[in-house]
Amino acid sequence: TTEIYTLSLHDALPISCLTLPLARWVGVTHIQRHVATLIVWVMAARLIWQMPSAQIWNIFRSTGDQATTQWVWNLQFLGGILATACAVALGGDPGAVALWALMPFVLVTLATWAWLRRHRPELLPALGEARRAEVRKLLQPSFFFGLIMVGSALALNGPIVAVSRAVGGAAVALLVTTRTLATVVRQAQSVMTTAIWPHLTRMNAAGRSGALRTTHHLMVAASM
């Protein structure tokens, strides 16, 4: 289901970027229209392909290899940071910066897919074996996961767009910097929850409801 919806959205994406005044809607005034369109397309494509790519990365976690999945995530995040820094240092325009930042995501996904195709091909998702009944069964869960991604994107970028339109670019730089410093605590908490994630999954799969409930209560208390 994830792959089917991703392909459908990706087909509609270029048409939307070319026909809708997206740059004006988000308050971009100092970048040429075609460059702004390219940036929006790159960011939207990354958002759309995030879920099927994560499905491939998480195959390692599903087979008990949590560390490999986490390192795949780490590589694409660190690669994005380094690629962005290099593009800015070399004087690239905003379009080049967006493309450079996308490259680590693409390369890590392709490398993971190639490794799994060689060593664990039976675990890779494939459209050829899709069944209509399974698509209907997975429709609602996939839709909810899609809403999580859209909600995360709005929570991250919505304030930036609002501040850009209302106050200007300097305020955006201040907002992004202070928000990064303010979320250090949340990031530390995320490290803890990510580490215990496979253990919670194992408890649920084994039907250990009591242990799962206790662990969940302790995690909520520690997070608060």
Side-chain angles (χ1 to χ4, degrees), residues 56 59-60 109-125:
I56 295 174
I59 288 176
F60 298 107
T109 301
L110 290 177
T112 306
W113 178 83
W115 191 95
L116 289 169
R117 187 184 182 191
R118 182 175 180 180
H119 296 90
R120 304 296 297 270
E122 72 279 4
L123 297 180
L124 282 173

Side-chain angles (χ1 to χ4, degrees), residues 57-69 120 123 198-199 201-202:
W57 304 342
N58 285 319
I59 288 176
F60 298 107
R61 175 187 284 125
S62 301
T63 58
D65 191 358
Q66 162 73 12
T68 299
T69 288
R120 304 296 297 270
L123 297 180
H199 302 290
T201 304
R202 190 177 298 113

Side-chain angles (χ1 to χ4, degrees), residues 149-192:
M149 293 183 60
V150 172
S152 298
L154 290 176
L156 183 64
N157 297 309
I160 295 176
V161 174
V163 170
S164 175
R165 290 186 62 88
V167 188
V172 169
L174 179 62
L175 167 66
V176 172
T177 303
T178 52
R179 184 173 65 178
T180 300
L181 295 175
T183 55
V184 169
V185 174
R186 188 178 68 181
Q187 292 168 356
Q189 177 264 343
S190 178
V191 171
M192 180 173 60

Side-chain angles (χ1 to χ4, degrees), residues 139-156:
L139 182 63
Q140 186 173 356
S142 295
F143 178 71
F144 287 148
F145 274 106
L147 287 181
I148 291 174
M149 293 183 60
V150 172
S152 298
L154 290 176
L156 183 64

Side-chain angles (χ1 to χ4, degrees), residues 190-214:
S190 178
V191 171
M192 180 173 60
T193 55
T194 300
I196 204 169
W197 185 353
H199 302 290
L200 296 175
T201 304
R202 190 177 298 113
M203 292 178 192
N204 184 56
R208 298 172 56 193
S209 301
L212 180 62
R213 187 178 299 107
T214 300

Side-chain angles (χ1 to χ4, degrees), residues 2-95:
T2 299
E3 279 72 28
I4 292 172
Y5 285 131
T6 299
L7 291 172
S8 301
L9 289 171
H10 192 266
D11 289 339
L13 180 59
I15 299 175
S16 301
C17 289
L18 290 173
T19 57
L20 299 175
L22 300 177
R24 180 165 55 83
W25 288 352
V26 299
V28 175
T29 57
H30 299 289
I31 300 177
Q32 293 178 322
R33 184 179 182 274
H34 69 278
V35 176
T37 300
L38 171 65
I39 295 172
V40 172
W41 178 83
V42 169
M43 295 177 65
R46 164 66 184 271
L47 176 64
I48 290 173
W49 283 99
Q50 180 74 38
M51 188 158 62
S53 296
Q55 184 180 8
I56 295 174
W57 304 342
N58 285 319
I59 288 176
F60 298 107
R61 175 187 284 125
S62 301
T63 58
D65 191 358
Q66 162 73 12
T68 299
T69 288
Q70 189 58 50
W71 273 109
V72 170
W73 282 93
N74 293 345
L75 283 174
Q76 68 101 7
F77 277 122
L78 292 173
I81 294 172
L82 293 174
T84 300
C86 290
V88 173
L90 294 174
D93 61 26

